[in-house]
Amino acid sequence: MTLARIRSAIAALPTTPHTHVIGVSGFCGAGKSTLARELVSSLPSCARVRGDDFLNPDQSHQRSKDWSGVERVRLRGEVLDPLRHGVGGSFHRFDWSARTLGAAEPLPVANVVVVDAIGLFHPSLKGAFDLTIWVDVPLEKAVEQGKARDRRLGRIHDQLWNDVWVPNERDFVDQYNPRAGADLLYDPVH
């Protein structure tokens, strides 16, 4: 699936009174954020909510069979349900420098909101998206890309990658098979 076809699929979504919510997931380092930014820059009235703003910093650095570091209850309650029900509201980004939730800020006002995160296609978020996209990069390639990105940013997380994040990814795939449940598969190479 190409970026152009994804844009066409989003444009073809049925007209609704609510904001269309697009879920983008894939392995750490697969290119979820890159795809989300490309969609925002190429679609009219499109905004992004970063999944990293809904990570629990302690739990996201621990082993988990279901990526429990993703605060799905908060994401659903503050962002996904209000957008899909056409009600206003606010949400709290996680402030990584202060290591606490930031001040409330209004939900984006847009026709389409893209949410990108690891562990997004979890049963607790079933029905929360109008369209789901799996960034279809094999785990080994995603890890290679993610480690390279971290090094460019001056972050050396090799031990976290090897001991926590890669095993978390494998467990999540074994338990939930998120690729199979996605509406679209996106290969960033094509």
Side-chain angles (χ1 to χ4, degrees):
M1 174 80 43
T2 64
L3 183 60
R5 291 184 68 194
I6 289 173
R7 287 193 302 258
S8 294
I10 292 170
L13 289 171
T15 303
T16 65
H18 67 77
T19 297
H20 285 295
V21 181
I22 311 302
V24 175
S25 199
F27 297 125
C28 294
K32 299 175 299 298
S33 298
T34 301
L35 174 59
R37 286 190 299 268
E38 289 174 348
L39 290 172
V40 169
S41 70
S42 66
L43 291 172
S45 188
C46 184
R48 174 183 177 216
V49 172
R50 295 173 356 119
D52 285 357
D53 294 330
F54 289 87
L55 289 179
N56 176 306
D58 297 321
Q59 291 180 358
S60 66
H61 288 69
Q62 296 177 3
R63 280 287 288 122
S64 163
K65 290 188 181 280
D66 71 348
W67 274 120
S68 61
V70 179
E71 294 184 340
R72 294 181 195 94
V73 171
R74 185 166 67 87
L75 175 61
R76 186 165 197 148
E78 290 186 4
V79 175
L80 304 176
D81 286 347
L83 288 173
R84 297 228 37 241
H85 292 105
V87 298
S90 61
F91 71 106
H92 299 82
R93 296 179 194 269
F94 189 81
D95 181 336
W96 287 88
S97 59
R99 298 194 64 80
T100 187
L101 291 179
E105 57 186 273
L107 286 172
V109 177
N111 292 335
V112 175
V113 171
V114 179
V115 178
D116 58 291
I118 54 170
L120 196 60
F121 303 159
H122 183 273
S124 66
L125 296 181
K126 188 166 180 64
F129 302 101
D130 295 290
L131 187 70
T132 56
I133 304 164
W134 178 259
V135 179
D136 201 25
V137 172
L139 180 58
E140 297 75 23
K141 176 75 173 163
V143 169
E144 177 185 311
Q145 292 174 172
K147 285 181 176 180
R149 175 203 58 215
D150 285 355
R151 286 189 191 102
R152 281 191 308 274
L153 296 172
R155 302 180 202 143
I156 307 302
H157 292 315
D158 285 4
Q159 186 171 357
L160 275 170
W161 278 97
N162 297 334
D163 297 344
V164 177
W165 296 335
V166 171
N168 285 1
E169 293 284 25
R170 287 189 178 121
D171 288 346
F172 193 85
V173 165
D174 288 347
Q175 189 166 0
Y176 301 113
N177 195 6
R179 181 184 187 275
D183 297 315
L184 303 174
L185 302 178
Y186 171 65
D187 179 353
V189 176
H190 294 100

